[in-house]
Amino acid sequence: MKGNNFILNYVNEKAPLDNIRKSGYIIVHFNVNCHGVVGNFGLIQMTRDYKPTTFSKKLVKHLIKKVSNLNEWPSTQSTEDWLRYKDVHAFLMFKVEHGKIVDLCP
């Protein structure tokens, strides 16, 4: 994976401006399987005060589509033979200010 700056620039390519112009966080969580395939998405949207909210459907769909197209995930192979499941659960937390994606929080 190429890092936070790469992902931030990537998701901002042709990103729609949230017409509501809200600020807060959009968390996209997902699984990465042992083949590096991303799936089983979930979503959390919250204000800067960590209260539930919603951002525009257009912006959220854009983020999920971009994240689903990311590749080059680090290997999820377990070094433990006894560990049967080798998928990992991951998340990306995007900071939104006035409807624009401005940061990717680790």
Side-chain angles (χ1 to χ4, degrees):
M1 189 51 96
K2 297 177 183 172
N4 283 9
N5 286 335
F6 171 81
I7 295 172
L8 186 59
N9 291 331
Y10 173 72
V11 298
N12 270 312
E13 290 173 6
K14 300 180 183 176
L17 186 63
D18 189 322
N19 56 359
I20 304 167
R21 302 183 73 65
K22 286 185 176 182
S23 296
Y25 302 96
I26 300 173
I27 301 171
V28 179
H29 57 97
F30 49 92
N31 290 340
V32 180
N33 71 16
C34 60
H35 303 290
V37 178
V38 178
N40 198 23
F41 285 90
L43 182 69
I44 300 170
Q45 301 173 75
M46 60 185 146
T47 66
R48 293 170 92 186
D49 296 326
Y50 308 108
K51 294 187 172 47
T53 192
T54 56
F55 290 89
S56 76
K57 186 176 182 179
K58 206 172 192 179
L59 179 62
V60 171
K61 284 179 88 173
H62 172 81
L63 277 174
I64 291 172
K65 182 178 180 182
K66 288 291 207 170
V67 170
S68 69
N69 287 327
L70 286 170
N71 53 27
E72 298 182 28
W73 295 99
S75 174
T76 63
Q77 291 292 330
S78 173
T79 57
E80 304 297 331
D81 291 335
W82 57 268
L83 186 58
R84 185 171 156 221
Y85 298 102
K86 302 192 190 301
D87 296 355
V88 297
H89 191 75
F91 72 92
L92 296 171
M93 182 168 142
F94 298 96
K95 183 177 182 180
V96 179
E97 287 188 4
H98 307 294
K100 185 174 189 272
I101 303 163
V102 296
D103 199 4
L104 174 60
C105 305

